[in-house]
Every structure is written in structure tokens, then in C-alpha cells.
């Protein structure tokens, strides 16, 4: 999908669409110590799919479709 979001933004969007009152509290990577090395930026590249002129919907649209279809 097109665009990028954090895991917190992803969860917030899902909870919003589910009409949940739950609150997502984002934390900074350096505040979360679990001993696991994690990549700093993990957005998937879209260069090849865009070269094929394939329409790539926004990630928000994809979540809407998944929940409502």
C-alpha cells in the first residue's frame, strides 16, 4: 500500500474504525528495552510496482476495505 505509518498509527486507525475507546500510547524505540536489535526504518519499497503502473491505494484505504468488506 502507499504511504507509511508507525505501528502505533496503524493500531490507532484500526481502533478508530472499530469504535474502540482503547488508547494507544506510542513509545520511542530507545525507551523500549527488550534486547532485540530492530531496524530503524522498515517501510516497503514500491518502486517496481509503480513502474508497472499499478494503482497502489493508501494504507488507510486498505484497512477500511479489510474491516468493512
Amino acid at each position: 500500500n502507499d504511504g507509511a505509518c508507525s505501528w502505533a498509527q496503524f493500531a490507532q486507525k484500526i481502533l478508530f474504525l472499530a469504535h474502540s475507546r482503547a488508547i494507544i500510547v506510542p513509545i520511542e524505540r530507545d525507551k523500549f528495552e527488550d534486547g532485540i536489535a530492530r531496524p530503524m526504518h522498515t517501510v516497503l519499497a514500491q518502486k517496481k510496482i509503480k513502474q508497472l503502473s499499478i494503482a497502489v491505494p493508501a494504507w488507510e484505504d486498505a484497512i477500511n476495505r479489510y474491516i468493512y468488506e
Side-chain angles (χ1 to χ4, degrees):
N1 295 102
D2 198 21
C5 66
S6 68
W7 280 110
Q9 291 168 319
F10 184 71
Q12 288 167 339
K13 178 68 173 180
I14 293 169
L15 292 176
F16 174 78
L17 294 173
H19 305 287
S20 173
R21 293 184 182 188
I23 298 172
I24 300 295
V25 179
I27 60 171
E28 295 179 29
R29 179 183 312 270
D30 60 346
K31 305 288 188 228
F32 187 70
E33 298 179 21
D34 61 359
I36 298 172
R38 300 181 191 278
M40 293 297 294
H41 193 67
T42 57
V43 175
L44 297 176
Q46 301 174 352
K47 182 179 178 181
K48 290 184 181 182
I49 197 164
K50 288 185 176 185
Q51 287 174 342
L52 296 171
S53 299
I54 296 173
V56 182
W59 65 270
E60 298 95 337
D61 293 336
I63 293 174
N64 285 334
R65 285 193 320 275
Y66 183 80
I67 289 178
Y68 294 119
E69 290 181 8

